[in-house]
Amino acid sequence: MSNTPRVTVWNEYRHEKTHEEVANVYPNGIHNAIAEYLKQQGLSVQTATLDEPEHGLTEEVLDNTDVLTWWGHMAHGDVSDAIVQRVKDRVLDGKLGLVVLHSGHFSKIFKSLMGTTCNLKWHEIAEKERIWVVEKSHPIAEGLPDYFELEHEEMYGEHFGIPAPDELVFLGWFQSGYVFRSGCCFHRGNGRIFYFQPGHETYPNFYNENVRKVIYNAIKWAAPKFQAPPLYGHFPGSLEA
Ligand code: ZN
């Protein structure tokens, strides 16, 4: 734990290998587009992908990770339950922050931590999105304007089947009229989770300066803070406290 979080950028990394349209936008994969920026910001960054052994999330990798970012879409079902549990245990223990991106809303790890469907409505018609900052004093909104726009993004619309977020930082408005809780903070156990909606694989929004700033801010927010180890269970009491 330090002021400079150690980040692992996890990506499913299947679309980029099978869809030319996606490979054209992210020739080195979504993970490297994100990791490259975070490295420029001085963070210690490694990447991991689904098809690596243990999905790249070995005990050793996670022991050296303060914050994990998660992008997945077409292969949520291929993520092993044991690895999901390994990540979840660390989040609940307050040892690992989690930043879930875009279609990661349907990942096993996010659904498991939320305990709800995490379902939503969607369409993809190359529309504009305007992302409003609705909690201006929140650290994840630091350095952002009142709102910023993405030229094209996939529409994710309410209702979003999540528990009420502990803090709502961003509200997305789409050209087709839908709105979405686009930036949501959750506390689970001793850990922190942030969900951020932009990042459809055919649009270059992981190169967008404001999207990148949000991810960076979210990593700082989600990073484990110093916590005295919790004391659970029975222990002898004294009337002379
Ligand atoms: Zn998408």
Side-chain angles (χ1 to χ4, degrees):
M1 196 181 319
S2 76
N3 288 331
T4 307
R6 300 163 300 171
V7 184
T8 297
V9 176
W10 192 88
N11 180 19
E12 180 181 278
Y13 198 30
R14 291 267 179 93
H15 284 284
E16 298 94 323
K17 292 187 274 193
T18 52
H19 296 93
E20 197 182 340
E21 189 189 3
V22 180
N24 288 339
V25 181
Y26 296 109
N28 299 315
I30 284 172
H31 52 302
N32 280 313
I34 296 170
E36 176 189 307
Y37 168 77
L38 297 175
K39 282 179 196 161
Q40 287 164 12
Q41 303 312 302
L43 300 186
S44 156
V45 185
Q46 57 187 332
T47 61
T49 58
L50 177 64
D51 293 325
E52 294 170 40
E54 301 181 55
H55 312 321
L57 300 176
T58 61
E59 300 268 1
E60 192 187 348
V61 166
L62 290 176
D63 286 347
N64 289 291
T65 300
D66 296 310
V67 180
L68 178 65
T69 73
W70 193 282
W71 194 101
H73 179 232
M74 63 188 285
H76 293 313
D78 292 353
V79 178
S80 107
D81 292 338
I83 302 295
V84 172
Q85 192 64 46
R86 184 182 286 173
V87 171
K88 183 178 177 180
D89 288 346
R90 282 170 165 78
V91 172
L92 295 178
D93 277 353
K95 294 187 175 121
L96 180 70
L98 183 66
V99 176
V100 176
L101 301 168
H102 187 61
S103 39
H105 75 91
F106 255 170
S107 61
K108 287 184 181 180
I109 183 61
F110 188 61
K111 290 199 292 185
S112 173
L113 283 162
M114 296 298 107
T116 55
T117 66
C118 300
N119 212 342
L120 48 80
K121 60 170 66 69
W122 62 278
H123 59 215
E124 196 200 333
I125 52 172
E127 68 195 285
K128 178 167 79 178
E129 179 181 8
R130 185 175 292 163
I131 296 176
W132 287 93
V133 176
V134 293
E135 192 58 63
K136 289 191 72 67
S137 66
H138 200 281
I140 298 179
E142 189 180 334
L144 293 170
D146 265 8
Y147 68 84
F148 61 94
E149 292 186 340
L150 302 173
E151 188 184 357
H152 291 146
E153 188 48 86
E154 178 182 23
M155 188 283 291
Y156 276 8
E158 297 287 343
H159 177 253
F160 186 15
I162 49 170
D166 295 314
E167 293 144 21
L168 178 66
V169 187
F170 303 111
L171 187 65
W173 170 88
F174 293 85
Q175 202 174 345
S176 58
Y178 294 89
V179 295
F180 192 70
R181 286 171 287 176
S182 291
C184 304
C185 297
F186 303 93
H187 296 79
R188 288 293 181 275
N190 296 314
R192 294 179 171 194
I193 301 139
F194 182 67
Y195 172 78
F196 191 43
Q197 158 264 314
H200 186 63
E201 64 274 8
T202 56
Y203 303 129
N205 290 333
F206 287 121
Y207 302 111
N208 178 279
E209 168 193 9
N210 289 313
V211 168
R212 289 178 149 190
K213 195 173 288 179
V214 171
I215 295 171
Y216 174 77
N217 288 347
I219 287 166
K220 300 272 263 193
W221 174 82
K225 311 294 183 276
F226 174 77
Q227 297 167 346
L231 178 58
Y232 297 123
H234 175 264
F235 68 102
S238 162
L239 297 176
E240 291 165 31

